[in-house]
Amino acid sequence: MEMMIGGAFQGKADLAKKTYPGIQWIRGEKMTEEELMNAQGVLGFHQFIKKELEQGREVQHLAAALIRNNPDIILVSDEVGYGVVPVDAFDRAYREAVGRVCTDLAAYSKKVIRVVCGIGTVIKDA
């Protein structure tokens, strides 16, 4: 497993496509959990989490399920925990869920790249 993270509109998708040529990418907001478990690469993984929460599904199991079922996946996700804490309860729960799931996945990942202004910096290379 490898991850590419960073703020919104920082060039993660373009860098991911360049860094991992030949990967078949799927958008997080358009996929099912079954597709996630079989995907090569996911753009907008944070959007998958948001979609699941909006549909009333739990996401605590996602990290363990991905590690068990799809350990070679490449995940690209926005970091959503920076900035002002949202007033809306759903937005706070979403922010926390993305942080917790991505923290677990980053701990397992072989490589984590943080992207700022289209430039990737390796923050983990195990």
Side-chain angles (χ1 to χ4, degrees), residues 6-114:
F9 309 108
Q10 291 297 311
K12 294 179 300 298
D14 289 341
L15 185 60
K17 290 174 185 177
K18 181 179 175 184
T19 303
Y20 305 101
I23 293 286
Q24 185 175 8
W25 297 99
I26 187 165
R27 298 285 319 169
E29 71 272 12
K30 297 182 179 182
M31 67 188 329
T32 64
E33 188 170 338
E34 182 179 337
E35 290 171 321
L36 175 64
M37 295 304 151
N38 294 294
Q40 290 182 321
V42 177
L43 298 173
F45 177 64
H46 63 287
Q47 292 289 7
F48 175 79
I49 293 172
K50 185 174 188 176
K51 176 184 67 74
E52 292 295 293
L53 291 172
E54 287 173 338
Q55 294 175 357
R57 295 190 186 107
E58 298 292 328
V59 295
Q60 297 92 327
H61 71 284
L62 276 179
L66 271 172
I67 290 165
R68 184 177 53 256
N69 297 312
N70 197 353
D72 296 322
I73 194 169
I74 308 296
L75 298 169
V76 179
S77 181
D78 279 7
E79 293 178 296
V80 298
Y82 291 116
V84 178
V85 176
V87 174
D88 182 74
F90 175 82
D91 289 339
R92 286 193 309 273
Y94 158 64
R95 214 167 109 142
E96 181 178 343
V98 171
R100 290 186 186 279
V101 171
C102 285
T103 297
D104 291 344
L105 292 171
Y108 175 80
S109 292
K110 296 181 289 191
K111 183 183 274 187
V112 180
I113 301 170
R114 185 158 194 274

